[in-house]
Each structure stands twice: as structure tokens, then as C-alpha cells.
């Protein structure tokens, strides 16, 4: 497995692969890998001749009061996990390499980034789309893999790729969960034992919403209020948002019908966790 730390050699490696008729799959990550990340890498290995994974904690997507400095990292561990499953190359650049000074160019997807996580994390998606655009230019893959775990991110990236005529297919894969339902996340490592127990309430609230809707409830506000009541039973939780939205426009839906995305962000102690569920309602 190659480890490439600069953009230029990465571009050359990828160009060589393409020139020799290899299809290239790409999985961007911030490292501290878990089964959620590996599910994307495995799918890429299956669907492409060569698979490239990036490990880069992108400073541009963290707000000034967010967890950039303490974001978990362990490259040796990531490297071993990726080697074991047959990854062809890892792109592991520094922030200095990615944002060479003076840096002036950003990619901004409008509208879709105002709601949900965009509201409480101003500038976050501008950081995400900028780094993903750069990574796609550097790696030049045929297919790029993202997780439904970050539902809004996947939608925003798909829009960016379409709007900018990027020559890549964006694929979004299902959420991988722990056995008790908690969506896997690098940030779960912040949780104390008590918080780890409380954190299952995110998924439980989604299951509650699903049951209410299956039983015929069609009022978003009623479903959201029941979800809020369940989450509030955990006294450490602070709710950032719970929303039911159109999965394409991310606009709130009053009456539940057709495809809906139920999404939430909750602070468990100081850790902000997100989860979501996509439903088709007849
Ligand atoms: P991150 O390292 O958190 O930036 O995540 C890198 C990619 O892995 C993103 O496309 C995430 O949506 C995806 N991902 C993270 N957690 C999960 C999960 N539990 N299931 C599926 N995909 C995930």
C-alpha cells in the first residue's frame, strides 16, 4: 500500500492508473477509522480496480470553537486497517500542503447548506465542499464514496459535483451502526461510559418516529415533539435540531408523505452527535 503525502505525486499516481485502464475509487475520510469508513472502502474495492483513501483532518470545516485540536487521530492504526483490507494507496497530506499560503479559493454550495447542520455550524460546508473539490481534483477518481451518516454532506457534495460538471460518480452508502443502534463515528470516542449509554437515544428517537409514521401519524410537528420528549429524558442532552425535511431540497415538511429525511443533532455532554433516517411514506 502506497502512502502519498503531497498533491503532485498523488495526481501522477492516479494519472498512471487511469492511463493503464484502471478504474479508480476514492474514499475521503478524516481518519480514526471505524467500520463505517471501512464499509465505504470495501465497496470501492469491489467496484473499482484501484482504491485510494484520504486521511485528512480538514481545518477549513471546523469552526473556531469546535474540536479541531482534540479530534482523534492515530495514523498508524488507520494505516494498518487500510492495508489489511487491500487498499491500494492512502493520501495523507498536511494542512500546509493542502492550503498553501496565501490560500484564496473556496467552493460554496448555496441553499442546501443553510439548514440543519449548516445553521449551527456556519462555514462548515464551505470547508467540506472546498476540501472535497480539491481532493477530487488531486485524486481524479471515477467513483467517490460517502456515508449516509452525514446525509446533508452527501447531498451537498452530489450537488457540487453536478453543478461543477465534475467527472466523478458520487455514491452514498448506508449508515453502519453499533449493535445497540448508535451510528459509528470517530467522535464517539469522546463519550464517557454514561454518555455512551445516553447516546443511543438518537437512534431510538428515529425508531420512535418511524413507528409513529408507520402507525399513520402524518404531522411532522407531532413526530418531532415526541422525539424531543424522548431525547430530553436523558438529562445531559441538549438538542441542536430535530427536523423532518425533503431529502432533496432539505426544506422542512409539514405533512409527511413521499420521501422524507428525519435528521437530528444532539449534544451528549460536550459531544455533538448526528443521525438520520430516510423513509418512503405512502
Ligand atoms: P469522516 O471521517 O467522519 O469525515 O467520515 C468519512 C466518510 O465516512 C464520510 O463520507 C462519512 O459520511 C462516512 N461515515 C462516517 N461514519 C459512518 C457510518 N457510521 N456509516 C457509514 N458511513 C460513515
Amino acid at each position: 500500500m502506497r502512502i502519498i503525502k503531497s498533491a503532485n505525486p498523488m495526481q501522477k499516481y492516479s494519472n498512471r492508473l487511469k492511463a493503464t485502464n484502471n478504474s479508480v475509487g476514492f474514499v475521503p475520510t478524516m481518519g480514526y477509522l471505524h467500520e463505517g469508513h471501512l464499509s465505504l472502502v470495501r465497496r470501492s474495492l469491489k467496484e473499482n480496480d484501484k482504491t485510494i483513501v484520504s486521511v485528512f483532518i480538514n481545518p477549513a470545516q471546523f469552526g473556531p470553537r469546535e474540536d479541531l485540536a482534540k479530534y482523534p487521530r492515530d495514523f498508524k492504526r488507520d494505516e494498518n486497517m487500510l492495508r489489511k483490507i487491500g487498499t491500494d494507496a492512502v493520501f495523507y497530506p498536511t494542512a500546509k500542503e493542502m492550503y498553501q499560503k496565501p490560500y484564496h479559493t473556496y467552493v460554496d454550495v448555496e441553499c442546501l447548506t443553510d439548514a440543519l447542520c449548516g445553521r449551527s455550524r456556519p462555514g462548515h460546508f464551505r470547508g467540506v465542499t472546498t476540501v472535497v473539490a480539491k481532493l477530487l481534483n488531486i485524486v481524479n477518481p471515477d467513483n467517490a464514496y460517502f456515508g449516509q451518516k452525514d446525509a446533508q454532506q452527501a447531498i451537498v457534495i452530489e450537488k457540487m459535483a453536478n453543478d461543477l460538471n465534475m467527472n466523478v460518480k458520487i455514491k452514498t452508502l448506508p449508515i453502519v451502526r453499533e449493535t445497540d443502534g448508535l451510528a459509528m463515528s470517530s467522535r464517539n470516542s469522546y463519550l464517557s461510559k454514561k454518555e455512551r449509554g445516553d447516546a443511543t437515544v438518537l437512534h431510538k428517537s428515529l425508531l420512535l418516529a418511524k413507528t409513529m409514521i408507520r402507525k399513520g401519524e402524518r404531522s411532522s410537528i407531532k413526530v418531532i415533539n415526541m422525539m424531543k420528549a424522548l431525547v430530553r429524558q436523558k438529562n445531559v442532552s441538549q438538542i441542536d435540531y430535530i427536523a423532518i425535511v425533503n431529502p432533496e431540497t432539505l426544506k422542512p415538511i409539514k405533512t409527511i408523505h413521499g420521501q422524507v429525511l428525519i435528521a437530528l443533532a444532539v449534544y451528549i455532554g460536550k459531544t455533538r452527535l448526528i443521525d438520520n433516517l430516510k423513509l418512503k411514506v405512502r
Side-chain angles (χ1 to χ4, degrees), residues 28-31 34 36-37 39-40 71 145-150 153 173-176 183-186:
T29 81
M30 297 208 298
H34 50 65
H37 299 111
S39 72
L40 308 183
Y71 195 85
Y145 297 81
F146 296 86
Q148 176 64 22
K149 159 84 191 333
D150 299 273
Q153 171 176 285
L173 303 191
I175 301 175
V176 177
M184 288 191 185
S185 165
S186 309

Side-chain angles (χ1 to χ4, degrees), residues 77-136:
R77 177 174 163 273
D78 293 342
E79 187 189 330
N80 288 335
M81 288 164 93
L82 292 171
R83 182 174 286 120
K84 215 162 140 190
I85 63 172
T87 309
D88 296 282
V90 181
F91 182 48
Y92 181 49
T94 58
K96 226 169 147 184
E97 165 72 14
M98 287 297 278
Y99 296 102
Q100 296 196 8
K101 285 188 175 156
Y103 190 85
H104 293 313
T105 307
Y106 293 88
V107 178
D108 215 342
V109 173
E110 298 177 345
C111 294
L112 292 173
T113 53
D114 298 339
L116 308 178
C117 291
R119 186 163 298 165
S120 50
R121 302 186 70 189
H124 167 69
F125 285 110
R126 180 181 186 251
V128 170
T129 43
T130 299
V131 83
V132 172
K134 284 168 69 65
L135 290 167
L136 292 173

Side-chain angles (χ1 to χ4, degrees), residues 42-252:
R42 285 200 190 92
R43 177 70 76 87
S44 173
L45 287 164
K46 218 179 268 174
E47 295 181 350
N48 303 277
D49 300 319
K50 300 286 177 185
T51 289
I52 299 168
V53 177
S54 65
V55 174
F56 178 59
I57 302 176
N58 174 33
Q61 70 188 68
F62 288 79
R65 278 183 297 277
E66 292 185 354
D67 56 346
L68 173 61
K70 68 168 187 151
Y71 195 85
R73 40 200 110 194
D74 186 344
F75 184 69
K76 271 281 154 232
R77 177 174 163 273
D78 293 342
E79 187 189 330
N80 288 335
M81 288 164 93
L82 292 171
R83 182 174 286 120
K84 215 162 140 190
I85 63 172
T87 309
D88 296 282
V90 181
F91 182 48
Y92 181 49
T94 58
K96 226 169 147 184
E97 165 72 14
M98 287 297 278
Y99 296 102
Q100 296 196 8
K101 285 188 175 156
Y103 190 85
H104 293 313
T105 307
Y106 293 88
V107 178
D108 215 342
V109 173
E110 298 177 345
C111 294
L112 292 173
T113 53
D114 298 339
L116 308 178
C117 291
R119 186 163 298 165
S120 50
R121 302 186 70 189
H124 167 69
F125 285 110
R126 180 181 186 251
V128 170
T129 43
T130 299
V131 83
V132 172
K134 284 168 69 65
L135 290 167
L136 292 173
N137 279 334
I138 293 167
V139 176
N140 189 21
D142 299 281
N143 298 298
Y145 297 81
F146 296 86
Q148 176 64 22
K149 159 84 191 333
D150 299 273
Q152 186 174 15
Q153 171 176 285
I155 290 161
V156 166
I157 286 167
E158 174 114 41
K159 189 78 185 108
M160 171 187 77
N162 279 325
D163 284 356
L164 296 182
N165 308 91
M166 290 179 162
N167 194 17
V168 59
K169 187 152 180 34
I170 304 296
K171 302 202 173 191
T172 305
L173 303 191
I175 301 175
V176 177
R177 299 180 178 282
E178 304 284 357
T179 43
D180 63 3
L182 176 66
M184 288 191 185
S185 165
S186 309
R187 289 192 167 96
N188 292 349
S189 65
Y190 298 149
L191 301 170
S192 70
K193 202 166 172 223
K194 160 88 169 60
E195 289 169 348
R196 173 63 187 79
D198 289 341
T200 57
V201 80
L202 277 85
H203 183 237
K204 285 188 183 133
S205 73
L206 290 168
L207 294 181
L208 170 68
K210 187 174 171 183
T211 306
M212 287 179 74
I213 295 166
R214 289 280 176 254
K215 284 187 177 159
E217 183 57 68
R218 292 292 177 269
S219 157
S220 286
I221 194 72
K222 283 190 183 158
V223 174
I224 289 169
N225 284 340
M226 290 296 282
M227 290 174 74
K228 284 186 175 164
L230 183 73
V231 171
R232 286 198 181 112
Q233 284 174 14
K234 307 286 170 198
N235 54 15
V236 295
S237 298
Q238 183 191 321
I239 298 169
D240 181 357
Y241 66 79
I242 298 184
I244 302 183
V245 300
N246 176 308
E248 280 167 23
T249 63
L250 300 181
K251 296 261 184 264

